[in-house]
Amino acid sequence: MHKYLRAIGFSKLKNKKQENELLSIALENADERLYTSLDYDAMLAEYNKYFGENMGISVRGEYDENNHFVVDYYIPFFRGTQISSYADISVERHAEKESYAGVCDDVKVGVSLIFYLQNIVSYLKREHGNKLPVLGTSLSLSGLSTQGKIIMPIFKNEQDLIRRKQFSNNRNQLLAKARKGDEDAIENLTLGDMDTYTNIAKMIVKEDILSLVDTYFMPYGVECDQYAILGEIIDVSKVVNPLTKEEIWQMTIECNDLLMDVCINCEDLYGEPAAGRRFKGSVWLQGMIHFPE
């Protein structure tokens, strides 16, 4: 049973029989059917069934010599609605199956983002057509979450917002220079981080950590595409899975100046989400690469 099925409204699945029934529904009533050839004379097929706005199940497998579809694996998905990054992206195949991970080095986050690639058929078609690398791509990130809570926002006036934006722009410029080997930029970043650490160490004695840290994006657990995030909610909506009638929160979140969408079962979220409040939780990061036409 996939751990993140509950994030799209399937928290009541209990056994393999119910799981197989769900996969049969997804295959027989697929909203999208995608195909591409593989290197070893096989046909990869992907069937996508939506169970609510932008969320659903992808079933992937291959056709054998008798034209019979053999299921390899399935994943729950949630399509991002925002453009999260225009940075360069590299893609690597997972070792155990025909699935792929993407790596995005966006200076805004400060770490290399590793995500589960959603549109592998589009990628494989370009790979087999010798059309890689592709310039001018963009990336939409999304996250499925099974645990989260709502945190009240930090009060910021207009001057604070302007000062924060200037600081973020200056830091991004320094990070870009540091990646190119600029020693002065590396030194300035190191000194800045030391000053920040010193200030927080003094303030944390009397203040709560969540009143000092406005947002963060950190690796979580042992799997490379899972992250702990804290970000400001920009937009929020509640959708209902038409099959199970479970209610799902879908939120657009700004985290480290990065826009992404998060999907979580209402039963797994502590608190009431609203624009301006903050979401704190762990997510399985997924991404869709938009290739230029």
Side-chain angles (χ1 to χ4, degrees):
M1 201 76 65
H2 203 291
K3 174 183 176 181
Y4 288 93
L5 277 175
R6 64 180 299 110
I8 62 170
F10 293 102
S11 63
K12 303 298 190 295
L13 290 182
K14 298 179 180 179
N15 52 51
K16 197 71 176 178
K17 179 182 178 182
Q18 293 177 340
E19 183 183 38
N20 290 334
E21 290 174 353
L22 176 61
L23 295 184
S24 296
I25 293 173
L27 288 171
E28 294 171 6
N29 304 281
D31 298 301
E32 297 173 350
R33 293 174 172 85
L34 305 172
Y35 308 92
T36 187
S37 58
L38 298 173
D39 292 334
Y40 44 92
D41 296 328
M43 178 72 73
L44 173 71
E46 176 180 292
Y47 295 88
N48 296 324
K49 172 61 179 174
Y50 287 87
F51 292 98
E53 187 175 359
N54 298 318
M55 66 183 191
I57 292 175
S58 287
V59 184
R60 294 171 182 157
E62 297 179 12
Y63 279 93
D64 59 20
E65 62 275 5
N66 298 319
N67 204 31
H68 176 67
F69 180 67
V70 180
V71 175
D72 186 12
Y73 67 96
Y74 74 94
I75 61 162
F77 68 82
F78 177 48
R79 305 287 194 220
T81 60
Q82 309 293 323
I83 299 299
S84 303
S85 176
Y86 291 95
D88 292 336
I89 302 166
S90 57
V91 177
E92 293 289 341
R93 185 187 185 277
H94 291 136
E96 78 279 10
K97 57 189 175 185
E98 196 71 39
S99 60
Y100 292 78
V103 181
C104 177
D105 290 316
D106 196 310
V107 295
K108 294 180 292 186
V109 183
V111 297
S112 294
L113 291 175
I114 301 176
F115 58 90
Y116 192 99
L117 182 61
Q118 292 177 340
N119 56 327
I120 68 170
V121 173
S122 297
Y123 171 78
L124 288 174
K125 284 182 177 180
R126 285 163 175 80
E127 183 182 50
H128 295 155
N130 294 320
K131 296 180 180 179
L132 295 178
V134 178
L135 300 178
T137 59
S138 58
L139 174 66
S140 292
L141 291 173
S142 58
L144 295 177
S145 178
T146 58
Q147 56 175 340
K149 61 180 65 176
I150 301 301
I151 307 294
M152 296 305 291
I154 296 176
F155 174 76
K156 298 183 286 288
N157 57 33
E158 188 173 348
Q159 291 182 341
D160 292 331
L161 294 174
I162 294 174
R163 192 181 305 113
R164 177 187 171 186
K165 188 173 182 179
Q166 290 175 341
F167 174 81
S168 179
N169 290 337
N170 292 335
R171 181 173 174 82
N172 288 341
Q173 291 176 6
L174 287 174
L175 284 169
K177 292 179 180 178
R179 290 189 173 189
K180 295 179 181 179
D182 190 316
E183 294 184 0
D184 291 336
I186 296 173
E187 183 178 354
N188 288 333
L189 285 170
T190 302
L191 293 175
D193 289 343
M194 291 173 63
D195 291 340
T196 300
Y197 176 81
T198 302
N199 292 333
I200 290 180
K202 293 178 181 178
M203 298 171 67
I204 202 171
V205 177
K206 298 181 179 180
E207 298 186 43
D208 182 78
I209 185 65
L210 293 177
S211 66
L212 300 175
V213 179
D214 189 21
T215 177
Y216 60 72
F217 205 114
M218 301 186 301
Y220 175 80
V222 296
E223 296 189 44
C224 57
D225 53 9
Q226 296 188 13
Y227 293 86
I229 67 171
L230 172 64
E232 181 180 349
I233 300 173
I234 305 300
D235 190 23
V236 61
S237 62
K238 181 184 286 187
V239 301
V240 177
N241 184 313
L243 191 64
T244 63
K245 307 304 179 185
E246 294 186 32
E247 296 181 327
I248 308 297
W249 286 116
Q250 295 183 355
M251 297 172 282
T252 299
I253 293 174
E254 183 178 5
C255 186
N256 281 32
D257 297 323
L258 190 80
L259 286 176
M260 63 178 294
D261 294 290
V262 172
C263 181
I264 185 172
N265 196 304
C266 288
E267 294 182 357
D268 296 329
L269 182 64
Y270 183 77
E272 187 78 12
R277 296 177 181 176
R278 291 183 291 170
F279 170 81
K280 178 179 179 290
S282 59
V283 299
W284 177 34
L285 194 64
Q286 299 182 347
M288 175 172 283
I289 302 175
H290 303 287
F291 296 99
E293 296 297 333

